[in-house]
Amino acid sequence: MRQLGSWVARAGVGFVRACVVAAVSMLVPAVWAAAVALGIWWGPANPWSWIAPFMLVCVGTLALSRPVCRIVRVLVTRWTATVIPAGYRQAGEVTRMSTGYWWNGFSYERSRRDALLDQKCRVRWSDPANWRDLRFTGIVPLTAGVIASLPPAGVAAAVLGLGRPAPAARLVGALGVVVAVASAPYAWRAIELVAVRFLRPSPAMELAGRVEELTAQRADATVAQAAEIRRIERDLHDGAQARLVALGLSLATAGKLMETDPGGAKALMRDAQAGATASLAELRELIRGISPPVLTERGLVDAVRALALNIPLDAAVSADAPLRLEPPIESAIYFGISELLTNAVRHAQASRAHISLTQDDTGIIAEVEDDGRGGADVRADGGLAGLRRRLAVFDGTLEITSPPGGPTHVRMAVPCASS
C-alpha cells in the first residue's frame, strides 16, 4: 500500500513537471504556429501574409530564446540540483574620463545613461551565447518537449476516447491512460539531459569568461597594490620620516651645544634616543602590517594564534596540522582572518569567536564563526567583497552565513598544497 501511494505521488509530481516542461519547450514553436496561422488568415492576396509572419517568427524567436533558456536552467537546478552555468557575457564598469565623456568599453558617450544603454545593447547582441540559445530553442521542442508531452497527450486521449461509446475510441482512451500513468514519473527527466548537453558554455565561451575574470582580478590586484603602496608611503612620511628628521635636527643641535651647554646637549641626546626608539617601534609596526614576522617564521597556524591573543575577543583556534603553504596564500588567509575578526569586534559586537584551519585533498579551509548580531552582507564596495576578490586570485571561494541575530559563519577555501 505504501509503495502504491509513493508511485501515485511520483506520478502526480511527474505529470505536473512534464506539463511545465512541455509548455516551456513549446513557447517558440507556438510563436511559429501563430505566425503561420496569421499568414493563412490574411490570405495569399495580402502582401503582408508572408512579411508579417516572417517578422513575427524572427522577433519572437530572438525575444524568447534567452528567457526560455533561463527558465530551463532554473527548473533543472530546482528539480535535480544540477547547476548549468549560464555563460553569458557580463558588462564591464562604466567610467567617466577626464574629458567628461563616459567610456563603456566600446565607445565614448556624453552621459552615463547613454553609455549604459549602448553597452547593454552591444553586450547583448555580440554575445556568442545567443547562437547557443537559438540552437537550444530549436532542439528542445523536438527532444525533451516531445517526450514531456506524452503524459498530457495520454490524458487528453483518455478523456476523448473514454467519453465515446465506440470500442475503438475506448481502446484509444485506455491506451492513453496507460501511457500517461507509465510515463508521468519519467517524461520530464529528458530536459536535464538536453539542457546539460546543449546549454553548457562552449570551450570558447568558458575561455573568454575566464579571461575576463582574470582581467578583473588583475585590475583589482593592481588597485589594491597601489592603495597599499600609498598607505605605506603615508605611514612612512607622517610617522617614521618625521621622527627621523627631528632626530637628525636634535643630534645636530646637540653637537653644537656640546661645548657651550653640555647639560642641554645631554637632554637633546636623551630626546633623540627616545625618538629613535619610537621610530623603530613604528617601523616594526609597519613591517608587521605588511608581513607579520611570526607568519614568515612560524607559519599560518602560529600567526593566527598570535592574532587571536591580540584581538579583544575570547577567540579559540583549532588546526588539524601545522600547515606551511605558499607565502602569498598564507598572507591572503591570514589577513582575511584578521579582517573577519576585526569586523566581529567593530560591527557584530561579538564576544566569542572560533577559528578553524583544516586541510583536505583540494586545499586549505579556514572557518571563522562569531556570536555577534549577524546580518553581514557582501556589498560591492565593502571589505567582504574585497576579500572575495583577493581569494579569487588564487581560485579561492568565500561563503558567508549570517542570519539576523547571528551567529556569523564564514568559510574561506583556497586550493593549494602544503609542505
Side-chain angles (χ1 to χ4, degrees):
M1 190 66 179
R2 182 177 299 177
Q3 293 181 352
L4 179 60
S6 176
W7 172 263
V8 172
R10 289 175 55 195
V13 173
F15 179 80
V16 174
R17 291 181 176 180
C19 292
V20 173
V21 171
V24 173
S25 303
M26 297 300 175
L27 280 176
V28 174
V31 173
W32 301 343
V36 173
L38 180 63
I40 295 174
W41 180 71
W42 273 341
N46 193 326
W48 286 96
S49 61
W50 63 274
I51 297 178
F54 177 76
M55 295 178 60
L56 179 60
V57 167
C58 294
V59 174
T61 303
L62 290 175
L64 290 176
S65 60
R66 183 164 291 190
V68 166
C69 294
R70 285 176 172 169
I71 292 173
V72 169
R73 288 192 195 90
V74 172
L75 295 178
V76 171
T77 302
R78 182 174 299 176
W79 292 344
T80 67
T82 300
V83 178
I84 303 175
Y88 295 122
R89 180 174 293 173
Q90 301 297 321
E93 293 290 336
V94 175
T95 57
R96 188 171 188 178
M97 312 304 293
S98 59
T99 58
Y101 285 83
W102 293 82
W103 171 253
N104 59 13
F106 302 96
S107 63
Y108 294 96
E109 302 294 337
R110 292 183 177 274
S111 66
R112 176 180 173 84
R113 177 178 175 275
D114 293 339
L116 289 173
L117 289 176
D118 179 75
Q119 181 192 60
K120 182 178 180 181
C121 181
R122 290 175 182 266
V123 170
R124 174 66 174 85
W125 297 113
S126 64
D127 194 344
N130 293 330
W131 299 106
R132 179 203 59 190
D133 292 350
L134 290 173
R135 180 187 63 176
F136 179 79
T137 54
I139 291 175
V140 70
L142 304 176
T143 53
V146 172
I147 298 174
S149 299
L150 289 177
V155 171
V159 172
L160 295 177
L162 296 178
R164 297 183 178 181
R170 290 182 176 274
L171 178 60
V172 171
L175 290 176
V177 172
V178 173
V179 170
V181 174
S183 62
Y186 312 105
W188 63 272
R189 296 184 180 275
I191 190 64
E192 179 185 6
L193 302 177
V194 177
V196 170
R197 172 63 181 83
F198 294 102
L199 273 186
R200 292 179 304 177
S202 64
M205 294 165 60
E206 291 180 348
L207 179 60
R210 183 58 176 164
V211 169
E212 291 179 359
E213 180 182 357
L214 292 176
T215 302
Q217 292 174 2
R218 182 183 64 182
D220 291 336
T222 303
V223 172
Q225 184 181 21
E228 185 67 13
I229 292 174
R230 288 194 298 269
R231 183 188 69 83
I232 295 172
E233 291 177 347
R234 185 175 60 253
D235 292 345
L236 288 174
H237 181 273
D238 297 341
Q241 178 177 318
R243 290 185 180 276
L244 290 176
V245 171
L247 175 63
L249 293 176
S250 297
L251 291 175
T253 304
K256 294 179 180 179
L257 295 177
M258 188 64 69
E259 297 180 357
T260 59
D261 188 4
K266 290 180 180 180
L268 288 176
M269 294 290 287
R270 288 193 296 269
D271 293 340
Q273 183 179 6
T277 303
S279 299
L280 182 60
E282 288 186 0
L283 288 175
R284 286 175 176 172
E285 187 67 24
L286 180 62
I287 294 172
R288 188 177 295 109
I290 299 172
S291 179
V294 66
L295 178 63
T296 304
E297 298 171 1
R298 304 186 61 180
L300 179 62
V301 175
D302 289 339
V304 172
R305 285 173 177 160
L307 176 64
L309 294 176
N310 295 326
I311 292 292
L313 282 175
D314 182 11
V317 181
S318 61
D320 60 355
L323 306 173
R324 288 313 306 255
L325 309 173
E326 293 293 330
I329 296 178
E330 285 189 339
S331 179
I333 296 177
Y334 173 83
F335 286 107
I337 294 175
S338 176
E339 182 169 350
L340 294 174
L341 293 177
T342 302
N343 291 341
V345 175
R346 183 179 303 172
H347 304 295
Q349 300 178 356
S351 59
R352 292 189 304 275
H354 180 264
I355 304 104
S356 173
L357 295 170
T358 58
Q359 188 179 16
D360 57 13
D361 296 335
T362 60
I364 178 70
I365 299 174
E367 296 178 284
V368 179
E369 183 173 357
D370 64 71
D371 63 347
R373 58 186 180 183
D377 58 344
V378 181
R379 298 189 302 272
D381 57 346
L384 294 177
L387 176 57
R388 175 170 288 173
R389 290 193 296 268
R390 290 198 299 271
L391 294 177
V393 174
F394 307 99
D395 289 332
T397 58
L398 178 71
E399 300 175 2
I400 302 174
T401 304
S402 182
T408 297
H409 182 270
V410 182
R411 182 179 187 271
M412 297 182 290
V414 180
C416 60
S418 65
S419 59

